[in-house]
């Protein structure tokens, strides 16, 4: 009887789905409690993980572990080679959070363009109209550079187009004709940075992209452009971005992710002007949490029933190895 361990709570529809499947048991544990975690993982055959690091130390507690289902799409905290070595597949919720994150990116763009934060503060202070009112912009007619044309980036392009924006796309791993066929303009990075009023990042964090938004990247951006990051904080040199915000090179930033999370008070971006910050919450809508929880559970059920959707699996070589 497969036993599933939820490392933190999930949407109730996800646990209800598991309850409806014969032969499965489950429990929810607080991963910050070492004793509870060790007791659960002694019998856990599957886990649903959100932020807990899955590394050699964790695997040493998990002799029966057979599948890791990541509650989201990023897996920076997961030691994939260690899982592969043990023949454990890692799944992600490939489609579940794309809409939520894409909408969050647009929300940050709109708030920066319409200066919502400043107007809210002024209105609460009875500054109904004043000479120091901030300059606002329509998104329509603005140029946006979308970095990454995957599931989330692809949705962002369509939302931006719906607002009447001129959409440029840079993704070296997607054929130009694919981008053109979708109705958007493929560009080289340098070309896009120089032209864009908004730059929004939708890339994974890996050895190629980590720290890519650095002083050189920012220097290539159009003066007064705005920067959006709902992907991974490790894509950004935070000191360089903060300096650009203070100097006015970058007119504003909307950030849902940070290099170190939870963010600490000393992070230079927290004191940067014209900056909107949220706590890595883009995917955390009611619908997004439901979709991600259900996706994780379906992957686990599929794994034990022999119907696992390979598209959800990161280390697919494990599936080939485990096939009789």
């Amino acid at each position: 009887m497969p036993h599933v361990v939820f490392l933190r709570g999930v949407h109730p529809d996800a646990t209800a789905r598991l309850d409806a499947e014969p032969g499965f048991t489950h429990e929810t544990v607080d991963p910050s409690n070492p004793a509870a975690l060790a007791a659960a993982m002694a019998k856990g055959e599957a886990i649903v993980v959100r932020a807990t690091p899955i590394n050699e130390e964790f695997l040493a507690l998990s002799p029966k572990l057979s599948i890791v289902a990541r509650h989201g799409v990023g897996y920076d905290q997961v030691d994939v080679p260690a899982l592969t070595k043990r023949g454990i597949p890692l799944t992600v919720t490939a489609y579940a959070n794309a809409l939520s994150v894409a909408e969050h990116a647009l929300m940050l763009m709109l708030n920066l363009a319409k200066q919502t934060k400043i107007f809210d503060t002024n209105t609460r202070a009875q500054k109904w109209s004043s000479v120091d009112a901030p300059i606002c912009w329509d998104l329509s007619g603005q140029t946006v550079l979308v970095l990454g044309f995957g599931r989330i980036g692809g949705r962002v392009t369509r939302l931006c187009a719906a607002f009447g924006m001129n959409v440029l796309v840079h993704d070296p791993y997607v054929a130009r004709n694919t981008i053109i066929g979708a109705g958007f303009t493929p560009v080289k990075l340098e070309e896009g940075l120089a032209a864009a009023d908004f730059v929004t990042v939708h890339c994974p964090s890996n050895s190629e992209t980590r720290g890519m938004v650095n002083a050189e990247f920012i220097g290539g951006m159009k003066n007064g452009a705005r920067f959006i990051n709902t992907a991974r904080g490790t894509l950004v040199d935070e000191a360089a971005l903060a300096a650009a915000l203070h100097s006015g090179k970058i007119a504003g930033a909307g950030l849902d992710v940070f290099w170190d999370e939870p963010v600490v008070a000393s992070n230079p971006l927290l004191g940067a002007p014209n900056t909107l910050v949220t706590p890595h919450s883009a995917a955390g809508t009611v619908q997004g949490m439901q979709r991600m929880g259900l996706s994780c559970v379906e992957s686990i059920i599929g794994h034990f029933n022999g119907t696992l959707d390979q598209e959800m699996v990161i280390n697919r070589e494990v599936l080939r190895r485990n096939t009789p």
Side-chain angles (χ1 to χ4, degrees):
M1 180 177 289
H3 185 68
V4 181
V5 178
F6 295 100
L7 302 179
R8 294 174 59 187
V10 296
H11 194 279
D13 285 358
T15 53
R17 171 69 183 95
L18 202 57
D19 287 335
E21 191 70 19
F24 284 82
T25 59
H26 63 85
E27 66 179 302
T28 300
V29 299
D30 177 359
S32 66
N33 183 327
L37 181 64
M41 291 316 305
K43 56 183 177 178
E45 296 173 68
I47 61 170
V48 174
V49 58
R50 293 171 68 177
T52 307
I54 305 301
N55 48 29
E56 294 281 9
E57 181 180 358
F58 182 94
L59 293 177
L61 299 173
S62 315
K64 297 183 178 181
L65 188 61
S66 177
I67 181 172
V68 173
R70 168 75 175 95
H71 193 275
V73 293
Y75 47 93
D76 312 53
Q77 297 273 27
V78 180
D79 187 338
V80 180
L83 292 184
T84 302
K85 183 178 179 181
R86 276 191 44 181
I88 301 171
L90 167 67
T91 66
V92 295
T93 56
Y95 300 100
N97 67 353
L99 174 61
S100 304
V101 176
E103 286 190 358
H104 198 92
L106 263 292
M107 178 276 294
L108 292 171
M109 286 188 205
L110 282 164
N111 274 279
L112 289 174
K114 304 302 183 182
Q115 299 282 19
T116 311
K117 182 178 179 180
I118 295 174
F119 277 122
D120 178 81
T121 300
N122 288 350
T123 303
R124 293 175 189 278
Q126 287 77 56
K127 295 181 181 179
W128 187 254
S129 180
S130 63
V131 294
D132 61 348
I135 297 172
C136 300
W137 302 88
D138 294 331
L139 289 187
S140 180
Q142 298 278 290
T143 295
V144 58
L145 172 63
V146 180
L147 295 180
F149 195 61
R151 287 178 287 267
I152 297 173
R155 283 187 176 270
V156 170
T157 58
R158 297 193 292 275
L159 291 174
C160 289
F163 274 89
M165 302 183 80
N166 173 36
V167 182
L168 310 178
V169 176
H170 175 74
D171 191 327
Y173 298 101
V174 176
R176 288 176 56 85
N177 286 342
T178 299
I179 297 170
I180 294 169
F184 308 113
T185 304
V187 293
K188 295 180 179 179
L189 179 59
E190 300 78 15
E191 176 188 359
L193 291 176
D197 301 294
F198 286 85
V199 175
T200 181
V201 182
H202 303 283
C203 309
S205 177
N206 54 40
S207 58
E208 294 181 23
T209 61
R210 195 166 294 113
M212 71 176 189
V213 182
N214 53 21
E216 181 181 0
F217 180 107
I218 294 167
M221 290 176 63
K222 182 178 181 179
N223 290 338
R226 294 162 179 81
F227 177 77
I228 307 293
N229 186 12
T230 56
R232 282 291 179 268
T234 48
L235 299 173
V236 178
D237 178 335
E238 293 178 333
L241 179 58
L245 286 160
H246 281 289
S247 72
K249 167 67 178 179
I250 302 300
L255 308 170
D256 185 52
V257 287
F258 298 88
W259 194 287
D260 293 312
E261 296 179 352
V263 69
V264 296
S266 60
N267 188 301
L269 290 168
L270 296 185
N274 303 318
T275 304
L276 291 170
V277 295
T278 53
H280 204 148
S281 58
T285 65
V286 171
Q287 300 95 324
M289 295 296 286
Q290 179 195 44
R291 290 190 297 264
M292 286 188 288
L294 285 171
S295 178
C296 287
V297 167
E298 292 296 347
S299 289
I300 289 170
I301 293 171
H303 170 70
F304 288 104
N305 290 347
T307 59
L308 177 59
D309 183 353
Q310 295 189 22
E311 193 170 354
M312 301 296 176
V313 180
I314 296 302
N315 51 344
R316 295 179 190 175
E317 62 270 33
V318 167
L319 301 182
R320 294 189 291 270
R321 185 194 311 168
N322 293 343
T323 301

